């Protein structure tokens, strides 16, 4: 993270003391050189998992950031691909990306909680953005996603297996979330970024309430845990009529 191409510790501190939108505007020029950018192996695994269900006509990358997920949509969509994000800085970087061959690509600045589209998409994907939404916001977020999908359309996103209690990763995530809660209790505006609030059981229930039928698909590229369960899954939620 502190390589010459990535942000400095001071830059990260300034970002953390900003709002979510302003923080990502500041981070945008160096975002692709941080661990926050979704790894290519995750993108490739999701594209492979979605391929049998496609091809789709129109796809939307929700909270697209600098646009890495748009490459996934370009592999499985025939007509158009749209990236939407509320950070102008992230979208500026996305617009400078090399556009993949295939469907037309466009970028839209908007809040995921108030999407400016009708039911125009067959597939919506999202990568690593849900920590920026509090649990109470999930019903509204999923309702927004449903509203932009055509009947039978898919909402897909990868999820990792939760860390084992007591493991190093468990304590790391717990410490990060605890630090964010203290920061938000003492400083305004808040910076919402929690890693432990997006719980798969609750997410499944909220997807059902929002009018989806959700299925889980193992991502075999990431192997299994010692108990045999997948290390990563793809949630594929179909919009019901």
């Amino acid at each position: 993270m502190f390589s010459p191409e990535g942000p400095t510790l001071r830059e990260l501190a300034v970002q953390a003391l900003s709002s979510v939108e302003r923080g990502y505007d500041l981070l945008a020029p160096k975002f692709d050189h941080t661990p926050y950018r979704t790894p290519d192996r995750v993108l490739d695994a999701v594209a492979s998992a979605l391929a049998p269900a496609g091809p789709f006509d129109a796809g939307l990358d929700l909270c697209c950031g600098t646009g890495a997920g748009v490459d996934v949509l370009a592999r499985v969509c025939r007509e158009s691909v749209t990236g939407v994000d509320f950070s102008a800085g992230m979208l500026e970087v996305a617009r400078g990306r090399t556009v993949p061959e295939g469907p037309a690509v466009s970028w839209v600045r908007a809040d995921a909680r108030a999407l400016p589209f009708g039911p125009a998409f067959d597939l919506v994907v999202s990568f690593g953005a849900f920590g920026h939404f509090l649990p109470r916001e999930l019903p509204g977020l999923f309702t927004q996603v449903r509203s932009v999908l055509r009947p039978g359309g898919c909402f897909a996103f990868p999820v990792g297996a939760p860390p084992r209690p007591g493991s190093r990763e468990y304590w790391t995530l717990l410490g990060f979330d605890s630090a964010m809660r203290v920061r938000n209790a003492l400083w305004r505006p808040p910076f919402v970024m929690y890693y432990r609030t997006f719980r798969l059981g609750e997410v499944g229930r909220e997807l059902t309430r929002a009018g989806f039928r959700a299925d889980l698909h193992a991502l075999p590229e990431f192997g299994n845990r010692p108990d045999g369960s997948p290390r990563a899954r793809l949630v594929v939620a179909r919009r019901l009529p």
Side-chain angles (χ1 to χ4, degrees), residues 123-134:
L123 174 64
V124 175
V125 298
S126 193
F127 296 92
F130 296 120
H132 294 303
F133 300 94
L134 297 172

Side-chain angles (χ1 to χ4, degrees), residues 2-213:
F2 306 114
S3 68
E5 296 83 9
T8 64
L9 182 60
R10 180 182 181 280
E11 288 171 330
L12 285 174
V14 172
Q15 179 209 8
L17 294 175
S18 306
S19 67
V20 179
E21 181 179 354
R22 177 59 178 159
Y24 275 104
D25 285 347
L26 294 170
L27 184 60
K30 299 182 178 181
F31 180 80
D32 286 346
H33 300 287
T34 73
Y36 304 127
R37 193 260 196 194
T38 303
D40 287 338
R41 66 188 299 236
V42 175
L43 301 173
D44 291 340
V46 170
S48 296
L50 288 173
F56 304 90
D57 287 335
L60 176 70
D61 185 4
L62 188 74
C63 306
C64 67
T66 56
V70 167
D71 293 340
V72 173
L73 290 173
R75 297 185 224 177
V76 297
C77 294
R78 293 179 291 200
E79 295 180 2
S80 66
V81 170
T82 303
V84 63
D85 201 280
F86 75 161
S87 167
M90 298 290 270
L91 289 174
E92 182 179 357
V93 175
R95 292 188 178 100
R97 292 174 59 87
T98 301
V99 177
E101 294 184 7
V105 177
S106 60
W107 309 96
V108 176
R109 185 184 181 195
D111 192 319
R113 294 162 293 193
L115 293 171
F117 311 109
F121 300 99
D122 306 288
L123 174 64
V124 175
V125 298
S126 193
F127 296 92
F130 296 120
H132 294 303
F133 300 94
L134 297 172
R136 66 174 181 269
E137 296 178 296
L138 292 184
L141 177 67
F142 293 161
T143 297
Q144 282 292 300
V145 174
R146 186 184 187 279
S147 74
V148 303
L149 279 169
R150 295 167 180 151
C154 287
F155 177 31
F157 50 89
V159 292
R164 298 187 311 276
S167 66
R168 181 178 180 180
E169 183 182 14
Y170 174 89
W171 291 114
T172 298
L173 296 183
L174 178 62
F176 182 90
D177 281 10
S178 299
M180 290 303 299
R181 292 185 186 281
V182 171
R183 177 256 186 245
N184 288 333
L186 300 176
W187 193 268
R188 291 291 182 273
F191 192 97
V192 177
M193 186 176 180
Y194 298 113
Y195 285 107
R196 301 175 68 250
T197 58
F198 194 72
R199 304 179 188 278
L200 191 54
E202 180 182 351
V203 167
R205 289 190 292 273
E206 293 299 346
L207 284 168
T208 299
R209 292 191 185 106
F212 289 95
R213 185 188 73 249

